[in-house]
Every structure is written in C-alpha cells, then in structure tokens.
C-alpha cells in the first residue's frame, strides 16, 4: 500500500510527498523519497496517509497531533480504545477514518443499507468475505462496517460472516439477503489495491480546508 500510495501521489500534482514512514530497521528510498523510521519527520507536513498496524497508527496519531498534521487512516483491526483515541484526537486535527477507502466499496455500503431498509423483515442476511493469507484480522474491517450499516438501518442482523484467507486475494465481499421467495446477492471484487489508494488520495484532498473533526468516506463522497 505504501508503495502504491507513493507512486500515485507522485504523479498527482496536488501532492508533494515529503516523507515515508516505516518501522525501525527499514531503510532506503521509494520514488527517490527517503524512508524514515521516525515520525518526527512529519513535522512540516500537511497530511499523513496511514495504512499500518494499530500500534503504529496510535504512535503516528500522537505525532500528528503534536505537529498539527491532518490524517487519513485506513488501518484496520483497531480496538474500541484505539478508536476512542482517534475520536479524541479529531478535536484537535481533522481525520478521515474508514475501514475501506475504496470509492465503490463505500457505494456498496449504501446499497447494503438501502436493501436492509427496503426488504421485508422475513429476509435473513449473511456475508462471505475473502482476503489474502497475510491479513491478520477476521472478519475484515469492511465486513464489520457492512454489518453495521445493515443493522443500523433496520431490525435485521447479519446472522453469519464467513471469513476466507487464501492466496493473494485483495478483497472480496458478498452480502446475501434471502427470503423464502427469493435471494438478493450483492458482490464486490477488488482487482487491485489501487482502489484503496485512489480513495485515500481523494480523502486527503477533502481535508484541505478542514481544521478539525472526524470524517469517514461517506462524508468525503457526500453519501451521508
């Protein structure tokens, strides 16, 4: 993700990539930009696009508050305490925080919400999600978000989320609404991680005129 964000941000004239953060011990350059093990290199930056681990995100969150750097957070697997820290920090800096930065996945969220609202109560809902074998959290953050939209829109509950971890699957999500009379299936298949990268760049541009507050991709895309 870091390499693809860098590659697409470099060719987008809106951005000037100033620093690349990595865990201690990782050195080198990407696109001629030096990799830094210290989040103190954020000083003077306008926005950090963050796709790391929960612990790293929390450390970088503190650095961004310290240096008044806006944040786009796409990290998944954060616990409730960590999410509260993000919300607290958003009183000082503007943050876009979303389990999935893809523009079309966020449209998928709204379609799931609409189906939950409009289908009769006798419809059951289940979900199947698949990702690569390296993904640590299950169900995926995206699957949990879909379930939240469905359950907030009506009395329906997602009865089961089946998680598959195999190969190098980037991300598949299938939601099944079923009644005795018919079945409705909506499905999203990610072909490339660039869908998340492009969405995160849109989110970073959205923050340009924001001074504080917590936003999600629904806010960024005007879907709320």
């Amino acid at each position: 993700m870091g390499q693809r964000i860098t590659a697409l941000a470099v060719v987008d004239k809106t951005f000037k990539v100033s620093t690349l953060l990595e865990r201690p011990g990782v050195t080198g350059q990407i696109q001629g930009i030096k990799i830094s093990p210290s989040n103190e290199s954020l000083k003077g930056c306008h926005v950090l696009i963050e796709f790391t681990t929960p612990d790293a995100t929390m450390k970088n969150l503190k650095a961004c508050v310290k240096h008044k750097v806006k944040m786009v957070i796409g990290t998944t697997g954060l616990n409730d305490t960590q999410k509260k820290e993000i919300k607290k920090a958003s009183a000082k800096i503007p943050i876009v925080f979303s389990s999935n930065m893809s523009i079309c996945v966020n449209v998928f969220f709204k379609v799931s919400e609409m189906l939950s609202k409009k289908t009769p109560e006798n419809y059951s809902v289940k979900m199947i999600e698949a990702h690569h074998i390296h993904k640590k959290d299950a169900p995926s953050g995206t699957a949990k978000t879909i379930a939240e939209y469905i359950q907030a829109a009506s009395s329906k509950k997602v009865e089961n989320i089946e998680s598959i971890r195999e190969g190098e699957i980037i991300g598949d999500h299938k939601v099944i609404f079923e009644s005795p009379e018919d079945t409705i299936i909506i499905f999203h298949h990610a072909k490339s991680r660039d869908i998340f990268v492009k969405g995160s760049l849109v989110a970073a541009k959205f923050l340009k005129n924001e001074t504080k507050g917590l936003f999600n991709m629904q806010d960024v895309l005007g879907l709320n």
Side-chain angles (χ1 to χ4, degrees), residues 21-83:
L21 297 183
E22 256 291 5
R23 63 187 181 277
V26 178
T27 58
Q29 294 185 350
I30 299 175
Q31 299 280 328
I33 303 156
K34 187 177 179 181
I35 294 171
S36 173
S38 171
N39 55 26
E40 284 301 302
S41 65
L42 289 169
K43 186 176 181 181
C45 294
H46 294 106
V47 61
L48 170 66
I49 300 178
E50 171 83 23
F51 284 85
T52 56
T53 65
D55 288 345
T57 297
M58 290 301 100
K59 291 176 182 177
N60 292 337
L61 179 71
K62 291 179 181 178
C64 283
V65 170
K66 176 182 176 181
H67 296 301
K68 301 297 183 183
V69 179
K70 304 173 185 187
M71 289 189 80
V72 173
I73 302 176
T75 303
T76 60
L78 293 154
N79 61 38
D80 289 342
T81 299
Q82 291 166 330
K83 290 176 182 178

Side-chain angles (χ1 to χ4, degrees), residues 143-200:
K144 291 178 181 178
T145 301
I146 294 168
E148 288 169 2
Y149 273 93
I150 290 170
Q151 292 168 186
S154 73
S155 60
K156 297 181 185 71
K157 302 292 182 184
V158 177
E159 296 178 354
N160 181 50
I161 302 177
E162 178 183 350
S163 296
I164 298 168
R165 298 290 177 266
E166 62 183 28
E168 296 298 330
I169 299 170
I170 293 172
D172 291 347
H173 292 87
K174 181 186 292 185
V175 182
I176 304 160
F177 286 77
E178 188 162 12
S179 77
E181 294 82 28
D182 62 2
T183 302
I184 304 169
I185 298 174
I186 54 175
F187 177 68
H188 183 271
H189 168 66
K191 296 179 180 180
S192 164
R193 288 183 175 83
D194 282 5
I195 63 170
F196 313 123
V197 173
K198 291 178 179 179
S200 71

Side-chain angles (χ1 to χ4, degrees), residues 201-215:
L201 295 180
V202 170
K205 293 174 185 179
F206 168 85
L207 290 176
K208 180 180 179 180
N209 296 318
E210 302 295 336
T211 57
K212 62 182 178 179
L214 184 61
F215 308 93

